[in-house]
Amino acid sequence: MNLEMVMQELEALGKERTKKIYQSNGAHEPLFGVATGEMKPIFRKIKRNQPLAEQLYATGNYDAMYFAGVIADPKAMTEADFERWIDGAYFYMLSDFVVAVTLAETDIAQEVSDKWLASGEELKMSAGWNCYCWLIGNRPDSEFSEGKIADMLELVKNTIHDAPERTKYAMNNFMYTVGVSYLPLHDKAVEIVEEVGPVEVNPGSAKGKFLNASVNIQKVADRGKLGFKRKHVRC
């Protein structure tokens, strides 16, 4: 399938209700409103295809950009490719669920994420923290430096309340993921979460709420699932 054929199939799958949901989360035109599950039949026809993924991502169409992440070949992507993708990720559903997820399947994931964490840019930092979540939730504990992860927990403790909104969500997710999936620092993660307390996001808006990783970590512990690892990053 070529670019035109894929775009035609995506457009045919679009639904106005789904489109409105995406727009309420930050997506803007162009987009069709394709539910992610509806993309699976197209993926089965194409499998991995990095050149086509690049063409789709470059369209600026949200659904095409998301599908680009589905068919991307992360091993064929360079740091420059990921920098281009993160620059094109204009809201969190792209930065966190397309770019970060794809990066998490590479050998350069930590190196690139570390640069994004230090960037001071909201969506880059969000992608970096979320990439670590995908990594820690999938790869063996032995692949990570315990000292480095501990330092990252300290960084979260000291900066989360003043971080940009999407970065707050990602940092909170990081504390939760370390507490659940990285056994060497489970106790420290729980300690940090208690020190941090509830994290307010979107204050003063209809979407305002408090994030509390402690409750969710305890739910996993109560089910006896500490140390849980995903079999796959991308479905």
Side-chain angles (χ1 to χ4, degrees):
M1 296 180 72
N2 60 26
L3 176 62
E4 183 179 356
M5 294 168 67
V6 175
M7 294 299 288
Q8 288 175 349
E9 291 214 18
L10 288 173
E11 185 173 11
L13 292 169
K15 291 184 171 57
E16 193 63 29
R17 182 174 178 275
T18 305
K19 182 176 179 177
K20 288 179 179 178
I21 292 171
Y22 292 160
Q23 288 176 318
S24 72
N25 281 283
H28 59 57
E29 294 285 0
L31 76 161
F32 303 131
V34 184
T36 55
E38 295 292 317
M39 296 179 178
K40 289 184 178 179
I42 313 177
F43 167 70
R44 285 195 286 267
K45 295 179 191 176
I46 299 171
K47 304 299 183 184
R48 304 285 179 232
N49 187 323
Q50 188 59 32
L52 181 56
E54 294 289 355
Q55 289 180 307
L56 288 163
Y57 201 85
T59 65
N61 177 296
Y62 168 68
D63 300 288
M65 295 171 81
Y66 190 96
F67 188 61
V70 174
I71 67 169
D73 179 3
K75 304 295 185 185
M77 296 181 70
T78 66
E79 181 176 344
D81 294 328
F82 283 106
E83 291 293 346
R84 187 176 64 257
W85 278 38
I86 194 64
D87 286 343
Y90 64 86
F91 78 123
Y92 78 94
M93 289 174 69
L94 290 169
S95 63
D96 298 355
F97 301 115
V98 177
V99 183
V101 173
T102 308
L103 178 61
E105 292 196 358
T106 72
D107 294 332
I108 59 173
Q110 291 193 53
E111 176 186 343
V112 174
S113 292
D114 290 345
K115 292 179 181 178
W116 291 351
L117 294 182
S119 71
E121 298 177 36
E122 180 174 12
L123 292 183
K124 281 190 175 183
M125 292 190 292
S126 179
W129 288 109
N130 274 299
C131 184
Y132 267 100
C133 294
W134 294 111
L135 290 169
I136 291 169
N138 170 252
R139 300 190 185 186
D141 291 345
S142 58
E143 289 197 19
F144 305 94
S145 162
E146 184 174 334
K148 178 180 181 179
I149 303 301
D151 287 345
M152 293 173 71
L153 285 171
E154 290 290 336
L155 179 60
V156 171
K157 181 182 74 173
N158 294 329
T159 63
I160 188 170
H161 289 294
D162 296 318
E165 291 303 292
R166 289 314 314 181
T167 309
K168 285 182 181 178
Y169 279 96
M171 286 178 157
N172 186 74
N173 192 29
F174 178 79
M175 292 190 294
Y176 164 80
T177 304
V178 175
V180 167
S181 296
Y182 188 68
L183 290 179
L185 290 176
H186 166 75
D187 291 340
K188 182 174 179 64
V190 171
E191 176 186 318
I192 293 289
V193 166
E194 293 299 329
E195 289 187 57
V196 166
V199 178
E200 186 176 12
V201 291
N202 303 311
S205 73
K207 292 185 177 181
K209 61 181 178 180
F210 287 90
L211 307 176
N212 192 337
S214 178
V215 173
N216 293 325
I217 292 173
Q218 189 58 51
K219 286 180 181 178
V220 176
D222 290 343
R223 296 200 305 268
K225 296 291 187 179
L226 292 179
F228 169 78
K229 300 285 185 180
R230 298 172 180 270
K231 288 184 179 180
H232 307 285
V233 175
R234 290 184 295 176
C235 296

